Amino acid sequence: MGKYTDDDIRKMKKITNKIAGEYLGVYPMFISMAMQQERLPIGFAVKNNNGSWSYHIIAERLIAYKNGKLTEVLIDGIENKLNKIIDNFDGMRKDLITLLKEKNK
């Protein structure tokens, strides 16, 4: 059994590469390199102006990756974003209809 459980990971405010490595059973350097190369979809690696890297690991993506369910998490995220976009467009459509009605009075 690993050092961290799924629940442990969910409760963490910040997940470091070391923690992610221990959770997945790999070296932290693997996490760093794979994220820098965008080959490990558990979060984001950002290159800073000084050449160093910053990492943001998303708990649910890390857990889904370990459990082989990352695709489901990504699809749910896309679905939620699309629903927000649709809601925004619906609101804009209603506003446009209202404006057109006022213009035609």
Side-chain angles (χ1 to χ4, degrees):
M1 182 169 189
K3 185 173 181 177
Y4 300 103
T5 66
D6 293 353
D7 287 334
D8 293 334
I9 295 295
R10 281 188 183 98
K11 292 175 186 173
M12 292 181 181
K13 289 185 179 183
K14 174 148 178 72
I15 301 167
T16 63
N17 292 357
K18 181 178 185 297
I19 291 169
E22 289 172 352
Y23 177 70
L24 294 176
V26 298
Y27 291 105
M29 184 58 73
F30 169 81
I31 301 292
S32 301
M33 298 301 293
M35 288 184 71
Q36 289 173 20
Q37 297 170 9
E38 298 181 7
R39 294 181 181 207
L40 186 61
I42 60 170
F44 308 96
V46 178
K47 191 169 188 178
N48 301 312
N49 291 335
N50 65 5
S52 66
W53 288 84
S54 297
Y55 304 91
H56 178 70
I57 297 173
I58 301 165
E60 288 304 320
R61 284 192 185 183
L62 177 61
I63 293 165
Y65 180 82
K66 181 179 181 188
N67 295 310
K69 297 183 178 186
L70 185 62
T71 305
E72 294 171 25
V73 169
L74 294 176
I75 288 171
D76 287 344
I78 292 169
E79 235 177 357
N80 290 337
K81 288 177 185 173
L82 284 174
N83 285 335
K84 286 179 186 176
I85 291 169
I86 290 167
D87 290 343
N88 286 336
F89 275 117
D90 191 46
M92 290 186 329
R93 181 183 61 82
K94 289 176 183 175
D95 291 344
L96 181 60
I97 290 170
T98 302
L99 288 171
L100 290 173
K101 285 180 181 178
E102 289 177 5
K103 184 180 177 185
N104 290 330
K105 285 184 182 181

